[in-house]
Amino acid sequence: MSSARGGPPRRPSSAMEPPRAKEPPGEPPPPPASPQAPGGAAAGGGLFGWLRGRCLGRGLFVDPARDNFRAMTGLYSSIQPADSVYLSTRTHGAVFNLEYSPDGSVLTVACEQTEVLLFDPISSKHIKTLSEAHEDCVNNIRFLDNRLFATCSDDTTIALWDLRKLNTKVCTLHGHTSWVKNIEYDTNTRLLVTSGFDGNVIIWDTNRCTEEGCPHKKFFHTRFLMRMRLTPDCSKMLISTSSGYLLILHDLDLTKSLEVGSYPILRARRTTSSSDTTATSSSGPRAVGSPCHQNDSSPLSEKHMSRPSQREGGSPRNSLEVLTPEVPGERDRGNCITSLQLHPKGWATLLRCSSNTDDQEWTCVYEFQEGAPVRPVSPRCSLRLTHCIEEANVGRGYIKELCFSPDGRMISSPHGYGIRLLGFDMQCSELVDCLPKEAGPLQEIRSLYSHNDVVLTTKFSPTHCQIASGCLSGRVSLYQPKF
């Protein structure tokens, strides 16, 4: 686990505003002339251009949803600390994770000392304490729907819970051999996906869940695994490692079991290097886990690239791409990717990185670049650093969990004893509207401080204009607009 060395908060030295996309006029152009009329083609082209802009949601008056986002931005700009829920650290300890139910009616809190707390986020009232949810630290909570949720722990288990009957667990899942740190859920197949410090990603079939547990299988393994996420459409799996690599499984098929040597591995490379190209690797046992079995500062060696993939003419299912994301100031030093989140529309990934020397910490945004594969068997996606900001380097040994807002326009990031609301520009535009040609700084929209200890996690409500944060001493703070 990465650690961070204490230091004063730092702010970006300059505010760079990338050029904004030109917005179409508020009123539509006149109807095009008939095909027989002179100039009809030009007029028609103008109309089609306006319609295309409307489909993309460009402009101030053509998409009510975008007007709603601007209203939400105004609300977030007026947000203030509202309520704090503080219970004795003798009972629950540090707050490691926060999770709202999909309808925003329940806020769950994963605690250091075996407990899970449940609150009504609107009234800030305590609903229930699951005092012995696990036998060790509770690390992560994930809702499957509005009533079922899963928790994972350092006791190596995953537990399923039902909000309608919290006195007992629905079931306990056994399969990991070390601390379980992450839970994802595929709503299409109803498969639960977990990862832990044993390096395993395990699939659990909740369609066949009983009181004894769920059928499960090991899906993937790599050393130094930190976090695992699924894209919103579940077409890709991203895995971050403490050795600075980011692994992407393309054309994801969770129903297949990736045993040793059953998946192609692609060469590790810097995401910003145009000279690097991907290549398929050997499918033999030596290739498995090779990005993490090599020296931490070195990509995959060429000796693992002996045979091409057997599937020509297209990218194979579950093909693995290994990337080394560029981190500012870390070109010559390794880094640890401690936190990994995905944009709610799947446009970008959000990383919290710390240097191996523990003297720097960064929040970085990387755009997903979809395009034609370099080779027929290479993946169709890569990453490009678009925005970054240096963070307060405090909280040695603890991972700070950050998040996107539900609309993807803002980022809430733990920053010392508080949180910062960050945007891609000062207008809180969507990422696609303000993509810079070169990486630029994230813009600080607002800073909120209401804790007396290091903030470890933060979360936006999916339905209300509210943010929650939790700190090392056990306080949970809620922020919402005040007028």
Side-chain angles (χ1 to χ4, degrees):
M1 183 179 298
S2 173
S3 62
R5 182 171 302 160
R10 301 188 59 182
R11 297 174 180 269
S13 58
S14 62
M16 298 175 56
E17 291 195 18
R20 302 179 62 188
K22 184 177 179 182
E23 298 188 349
E27 297 296 330
S34 63
Q36 292 79 15
L47 175 62
F48 292 145
W50 178 81
L51 288 174
R52 181 177 182 276
R54 177 169 181 161
C55 291
L56 293 174
R58 311 281 176 173
L60 292 173
F61 310 107
V62 296
D63 190 341
R66 284 184 171 243
D67 289 339
N68 179 60
F69 289 155
R70 288 182 173 84
M72 291 298 291
T73 299
L75 289 175
Y76 282 124
S77 298
S78 63
I79 208 164
Q80 299 285 345
D83 296 289
S84 293
V85 183
Y86 184 76
L87 302 178
S88 172
T89 56
R90 289 177 297 178
T91 60
H92 67 269
V95 174
F96 285 163
N97 183 241
L98 299 164
E99 184 72 12
Y100 285 88
S101 61
D103 60 5
S105 63
V106 176
L107 173 64
T108 56
V109 182
C111 301
E112 179 183 15
Q113 301 294 337
T114 76
E115 294 184 348
V116 173
L117 310 178
L118 292 90
F119 294 95
D120 179 347
I122 304 303
S123 65
S124 303
K125 291 183 178 179
H126 178 228
I127 300 174
K128 179 79 173 177
T129 295
L130 307 178
S131 58
E132 296 181 358
H134 287 274
E135 296 178 0
D136 207 334
C137 303
V138 184
N139 297 315
N140 192 242
I141 302 175
R142 177 76 178 193
F143 273 87
L144 282 60
D145 53 36
N146 283 321
R147 61 182 180 85
L148 291 172
F149 65 96
T151 59
C152 65
S153 168
D154 283 356
D155 66 6
T156 75
T157 69
I158 301 98
L160 294 182
W161 304 85
D162 192 326
L163 287 176
R164 300 169 299 180
K165 188 181 179 182
L166 289 171
N167 292 329
T168 59
K169 303 175 185 178
V170 174
C171 64
T172 300
L173 309 179
H174 299 270
H176 284 279
T177 58
S178 186
W179 302 347
V180 188
K181 294 294 185 181
N182 198 196
I183 307 173
E184 290 287 279
Y185 183 65
D186 184 349
T187 56
N188 298 319
T189 60
R190 291 176 54 87
L191 295 176
L192 197 69
V193 189
T194 62
S195 66
F197 279 3
D198 57 2
N200 291 328
V201 177
I202 296 180
I203 308 295
W204 311 83
D205 188 357
T206 61
N207 299 290
R208 296 185 288 164
C209 189
T210 67
E211 293 182 356
E212 303 299 323
C214 302
H216 69 279
K217 64 181 179 181
K218 186 168 73 173
F219 179 73
F220 185 78
H221 175 82
T222 186
R223 293 179 62 190
F224 309 121
L225 189 153
M226 289 293 291
R227 289 292 185 265
M228 173 272 305
R229 300 289 177 190
L230 300 179
T231 54
D233 61 359
C234 296
S235 64
K236 297 179 180 66
M237 176 185 291
L238 279 76
I239 297 172
S240 65
T241 69
S242 59
S243 55
Y245 290 100
L246 187 68
L247 285 63
I248 305 179
L249 281 165
H250 296 271
D251 297 316
L252 192 64
D253 185 356
L254 295 175
T255 63
K256 292 185 177 181
S257 181
L258 297 184
E259 299 298 338
V260 172
S262 67
Y263 56 93
I265 296 184
L266 307 161
R267 178 172 13 183
R269 57 195 178 92
R270 280 278 183 184
T271 59
T272 56
S273 175
S274 59
S275 61
D276 289 336
T277 57
T278 58
T280 55
S281 74
S282 168
S283 59
R286 296 183 64 186
V288 173
S290 53
C292 296
H293 285 297
Q294 301 298 314
N295 186 291
D296 287 357
S297 61
S298 302
L300 288 176
S301 61
E302 294 294 336
K303 64 183 179 181
H304 291 298
M305 308 295 164
S306 56
R307 289 183 294 172
S309 171
Q310 295 180 358
R311 178 180 172 180
E312 300 293 338
S315 178
R317 301 299 297 270
N318 296 327
S319 57
L320 177 65
E321 184 177 19
V322 185
L323 302 172
T324 309
E326 177 189 4
V327 179
E330 292 297 310
R331 293 180 182 274
D332 301 321
R333 294 187 295 172
N335 63 85
C336 173
I337 304 174
T338 58
S339 182
L340 168 67
Q341 299 290 341
L342 292 178
H343 191 281
K345 297 181 181 179
W347 292 341
T349 181
L350 177 65
L351 304 182
R352 186 73 169 252
C353 306
S354 62
S355 63
N356 283 344
T357 53
D358 293 334
D359 59 348
Q360 285 183 306
E361 196 168 4
W362 294 84
T363 288
C364 301
V365 178
Y366 298 85
E367 173 206 8
F368 274 97
Q369 299 183 77
E370 299 287 350
V374 178
R375 301 183 182 181
V377 294
S378 65
R380 298 179 295 276
C381 172
S382 191
L383 300 175
R384 179 174 72 91
L385 178 65
T386 62
H387 299 82
C388 59
I389 192 169
E390 189 169 0
E391 295 285 4
N393 195 29
V394 297
R396 176 179 293 274
Y398 290 94
I399 297 171
K400 273 76 76 175
E401 297 286 359
L402 63 176
C403 65
F404 279 108
S405 62
D407 57 33
R409 289 176 173 239
M410 301 182 74
I411 295 166
S412 181
S413 174
H415 188 256
Y417 287 10
I419 62 174
R420 289 194 298 187
L421 301 183
L422 306 171
F424 303 116
D425 62 12
M426 292 305 296
Q427 290 74 40
C428 296
S429 303
E430 290 200 86
L431 179 62
V432 293
D433 290 338
C434 58
L435 274 175
K437 293 183 179 179
E438 297 181 355
L442 286 165
Q443 303 299 314
E444 183 177 336
I445 307 301
R446 191 169 183 81
S447 293
L448 301 167
Y449 296 96
S450 65
H451 291 273
N452 295 319
D453 211 333
V454 178
V455 174
L456 301 180
T457 182
T458 179
K459 195 74 174 183
F460 282 91
S461 167
T463 55
H464 301 86
C465 188
Q466 185 183 79
I467 308 171
S469 63
C471 74
L472 186 58
S473 60
R475 185 187 297 270
V476 176
S477 291
L478 302 177
Y479 311 87
Q480 54 197 35
K482 286 188 177 181
F483 303 101

